[in-house]
């Protein structure tokens, strides 16, 4: 059975093209994991408890018995992502596989899912792969490509990594459900929408327009783009590989997908790494504030580094950026809205690069030029980041995961509160709370109730994509399910953590061998 006629039309137009949405030494620190109460069997007074047997080690990672039909795709992928030439020696391949629209059988038909694989010439030929999901933050393709141009390659030297793009994103079957005007207005937080009015009310109306268009376009499949179905797509890959278990890395929103996989298919999961995971059981306001705090912290880190190297933004880069955002909010940057500028900055702050000094200079130079009236360099960065976060598939995925949206009145209050508390990113983030307000309410993503596999958790407080405050809730939920966790704190800024630091990558490599966790509260320097 094929998709609905609208979906089939888009698939025919887009099937032939690759659509990519753009996406050291270690010490110890304090533990973030909350204590978990354990009820012990009753025993007579004075009698020592019977020793408990150590849990069996999870099974080793497995090589696929039946692999996908991979083909080299480094050059076109890196070109679309604006990453320049692929690193020398990198083997970067693409593949597709079919997944049921609904694994439960409620809706018949299949969906074309995209996957990418990265490895190095020195990656052992018999090394088992690790699976990566970035969720809806940006495509797994973009995250994996970013890893390859980052400052370290320890994990790729030990294991191939296979990124699975979420439905409607990256190289998976695309979605084209909104009009160009609605898409652009959502990206701009409604700043240039006709009629003026309160930005929150404008965004609420845009959310209604986009929701009606996309729900109509996707019906009767509109309910199959949430984290639970994303987990089903990963399970389909495991089945195609004909392996009993897989190792999974979930970054940002992909952490929710990974936890959903653990809840539904925990017996098939032998390794689980959560890198900068979103908080579990948090409402839209809570998740948004965590992102804003992370973005402000990342901007502080960037500004300090920028000033230290004498960048083009002068002695106070944060003040220069704040002034530029205020100018954009009043139309002073032409067609570049304040929200588009902020989206570009936060995305750039998250990206890994091997040449960090050059990376800092690139953003500083573009922003300084825009301040002088030359918006050309900044415009190139805007186009790159817009392709990563403003596509229809990501709107659908994000809204499918949105729980307990904020009311317009509450968003208006937060415009003032967050605008004062988080002076660069706060006001725009409060307005953005209305982007998914019209989408039908979604069930909370599943978390495992019982889970015995040890879990490695990575993160930083200066994460511009999700922030750093979600990890305690995640480790607490896993502890309640019986899982042992160990958190590793990176002291730098960016997203996700493991793409920026060889220290975190070495922790992943060591954990992948035998599922042994490092000391909880370990740290990686910036």
């Amino acid at each position: 059975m094929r998709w609905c006629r609208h979906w089939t039309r888009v698939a025919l137009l887009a099937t032939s093209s690759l659509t990519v949405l753009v996406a050291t030494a270690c010490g110890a620190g304090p533990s973030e994991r909350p204590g978990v109460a354990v009820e012990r069997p009753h025993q007579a007074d004075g009698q020592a408890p019977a020793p408990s047997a150590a849990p069996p080690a999870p099974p080793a990672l497995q090589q696929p018995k039946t692999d996908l039909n991979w083909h080299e795709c480094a050059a076109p992928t890196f070109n679309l992502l604006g990453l320049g030439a692929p690193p020398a020696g990198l083997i970067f391949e693409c593949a597709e596989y079919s997944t049921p629209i609904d694994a439960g059988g409620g809706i018949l038909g299949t969906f074309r899912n995209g996957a990418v694989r990265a490895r190095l010439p020195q990656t052992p030929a018999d090394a088992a792969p690790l699976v990566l999901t970035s969720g809806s933050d940006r495509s797994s393709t973009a995250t994996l490509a970013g890893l390859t141009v980052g400052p370290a390659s320890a994990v790729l030297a030990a294991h191939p990594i296979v990124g699975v793009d979420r439905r409607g994103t990256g190289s998976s079957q695309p979605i084209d459900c909104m009009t160009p005007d609605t898409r652009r207005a959502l990206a701009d937080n409604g700043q240039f929408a006709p009629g003026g009015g309160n930005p929150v009310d404008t965004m609420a109306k845009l959310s209604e327009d986009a929701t009606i268009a996309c729900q109509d376009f996707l019906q009767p499949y509109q309910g199959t783009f949430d984290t639970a179905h994303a987990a089903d797509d990963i399970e389909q890959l495991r089945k195609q590989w004909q392996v009993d278990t897989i190792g999974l890395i979930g970054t940002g929103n992909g952490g929710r997908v990974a936890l959903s996989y653990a809840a539904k298919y925990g017996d098939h999961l032998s390794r689980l790494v959560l890198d900068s995971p979103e908080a579990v059981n948090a409402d839209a306001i809570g998740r948004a504030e965590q992102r804003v705090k992370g973005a402000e912290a990342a901007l502080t880190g960037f500004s300090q580094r920028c000033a230290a190297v004498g960048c083009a933004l002068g002695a106070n880069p944060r003040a220069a950026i704040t002034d530029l955002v205020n100018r954009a909010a009043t139309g002073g940057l032409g067609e570049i809205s304040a929200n588009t500028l902020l989206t570009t900055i936060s995305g750039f702050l998250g990206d890994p690069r091997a040449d960090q000094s050059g990376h800092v200079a690139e953003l500083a130079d573009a922003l300084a030029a825009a301040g002088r009236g030359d918006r050309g360099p900044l415009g190139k960065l805007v186009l790159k980041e817009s392709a990563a976060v403003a596509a229809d598939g990501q709107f659908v995925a994000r809204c499918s995961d949105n729980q307990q949206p904020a009311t317009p009145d509450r968003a208006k209050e937060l415009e003032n509160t967050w605008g004062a508390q988080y002076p660069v990113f706060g006001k725009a983030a409060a307005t953005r709370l209305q982007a998914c307000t019209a989408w039908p309410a979604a069930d909370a993503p599943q978390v495992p109730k019982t889970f015995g596999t040890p879990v490695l958790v990575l993160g930083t407080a200066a994460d511009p994509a999700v922030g750093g405050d979600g990890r305690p809730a995640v480790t607490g939920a896993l502890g309640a399910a019986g899982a042992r966790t160990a958190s590793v704190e990176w002291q730098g800024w960016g997203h996700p953590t493991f793409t920026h630091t060889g220290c975190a990558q070495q922790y992943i490599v060591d954990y992948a061998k035998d599922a042994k966790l490092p000391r909880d509260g370990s740290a990686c320097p910036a």
Side-chain angles (χ1 to χ4, degrees):
M1 176 178 177
R2 297 186 304 172
W3 288 76
C4 63
R5 61 184 180 89
H6 300 292
W7 184 272
T8 302
R9 170 176 54 83
V10 173
L12 289 172
L13 290 173
T15 298
S16 62
S17 62
L18 174 66
T19 304
V20 182
L21 313 179
V22 211
T24 61
C26 303
S31 171
E32 291 184 323
R33 188 177 64 184
V36 179
V38 178
E39 183 177 352
R40 294 182 172 85
H42 174 74
Q43 52 227 353
D45 292 342
Q47 180 180 348
S52 58
L61 296 171
Q62 298 174 285
Q63 274 191 300
K65 295 182 177 69
T66 304
D67 211 343
L68 304 181
N69 185 22
W70 298 101
H71 63 274
E72 177 65 27
C73 62
T77 302
F78 278 61
N79 182 54
L80 286 170
L81 290 169
L83 295 176
L90 174 68
I91 304 166
F92 198 91
E93 301 162 301
C94 296
E96 296 177 353
Y97 65 99
S98 294
T99 62
I101 293 173
D102 180 35
I107 301 176
L108 301 179
T110 59
F111 175 84
R112 176 171 60 79
N113 223 64
V116 291
R117 179 174 67 181
R119 52 200 172 101
L120 301 174
Q122 65 266 38
T123 307
D126 60 350
L130 295 168
V131 180
L132 168 71
T133 172
S134 299
S136 61
D137 293 323
R138 67 179 52 216
S139 69
S140 298
T141 293
T143 299
L144 185 53
L147 169 68
T148 69
V149 299
S153 58
V155 68
L156 281 180
H159 293 274
I161 295 184
V162 174
V164 177
D165 281 326
R166 196 157 165 178
R167 297 182 177 189
T169 70
S171 55
S172 289
Q173 192 166 331
I175 299 172
D176 183 9
C177 56
M178 284 187 259
T179 66
D181 287 346
T182 299
R183 187 181 302 117
R184 173 64 187 271
L186 279 173
D188 290 334
N189 264 9
Q191 179 175 329
F192 302 123
N198 185 279
V200 169
D201 294 332
T202 300
M203 279 296 286
K205 178 60 171 62
L206 287 169
S207 176
E208 181 179 338
D209 293 343
T211 297
I212 291 172
C214 292
Q215 290 271 318
D216 176 69
F217 181 92
L218 294 171
Q219 64 177 338
Y221 315 112
Q222 66 269 34
T224 65
F225 292 86
D226 56 6
T227 54
H229 287 84
D232 293 339
D233 292 344
I234 294 173
E235 172 64 4
Q236 183 63 27
L237 176 63
R238 183 197 67 80
K239 291 179 178 178
Q240 298 227 170
W241 278 348
Q242 297 185 37
V243 296
D244 297 323
T245 62
I246 61 172
L248 185 57
I249 302 174
T251 66
N253 173 263
R256 300 177 84 182
V257 176
L259 287 172
S260 183
Y261 186 90
K264 300 181 74 172
Y265 307 108
D267 291 344
H268 296 299
L269 195 55
S270 61
R271 305 288 188 276
L272 177 57
V273 179
L274 300 176
D275 188 330
S276 312
E278 285 185 343
V280 298
N281 301 322
D283 61 14
I285 293 175
R287 292 194 305 274
E289 186 168 17
Q290 288 170 4
R291 286 194 297 272
V292 170
K293 289 173 67 176
E296 293 278 349
L299 181 60
T300 295
F302 166 84
S303 298
Q304 291 171 345
R305 178 70 178 271
C306 195
V309 299
C311 73
L313 291 173
N316 191 342
R318 173 179 271 276
I321 291 172
T322 302
D323 176 69
L324 202 60
V325 171
N326 292 335
R327 287 171 59 184
T330 58
L333 293 186
E335 294 183 352
I336 300 177
S337 67
N339 192 67
T340 295
L341 176 60
L342 291 169
T343 299
T344 301
I345 292 172
S346 62
F348 197 96
L349 292 176
D351 287 343
R353 288 293 186 275
D355 178 12
Q356 185 68 351
S357 295
H359 194 49
V360 168
E362 182 181 0
L363 178 59
D365 290 348
L367 295 175
R372 297 190 302 267
D374 177 10
R375 297 192 295 271
L378 179 59
K380 293 179 180 179
L381 298 183
V382 167
L383 289 175
K384 175 183 173 183
E385 190 60 27
S386 295
V389 300
D392 296 2
Q394 283 175 299
F395 168 79
V396 171
R398 289 171 184 147
C399 292
S400 295
D401 290 345
N402 194 47
Q403 283 82 49
Q404 305 174 51
T407 65
D409 287 344
R410 181 62 176 143
K412 291 173 184 176
E413 292 175 4
L414 290 173
E415 278 191 316
N416 295 323
T417 303
W418 287 358
Q421 192 171 359
Y422 311 110
V424 178
F425 293 93
K427 184 175 181 179
T431 304
R432 192 74 186 166
L433 286 169
Q434 295 301 290
C436 291
T437 190
W439 196 267
D443 295 330
Q446 291 178 292
V447 294
K449 296 180 179 179
T450 303
F451 191 61
T453 300
V455 182
L456 178 62
V457 184
L458 311 172
T460 175
D463 186 310
V466 295
D469 290 348
R471 281 173 288 147
V474 170
T475 55
L478 286 167
R484 292 183 297 114
T485 65
S487 293
V488 175
E489 178 81 13
W490 176 48
Q491 296 166 346
W493 41 271
H495 175 86
T497 293
F498 89 108
T499 63
H500 289 265
T501 163
C503 171
Q505 290 189 28
Q506 192 58 53
Y507 276 122
I508 294 175
V509 171
D510 294 342
Y511 165 72
K513 289 179 183 177
D514 50 20
K516 290 183 179 178
L517 294 172
R519 179 180 176 181
D520 188 27
S522 297
C524 286

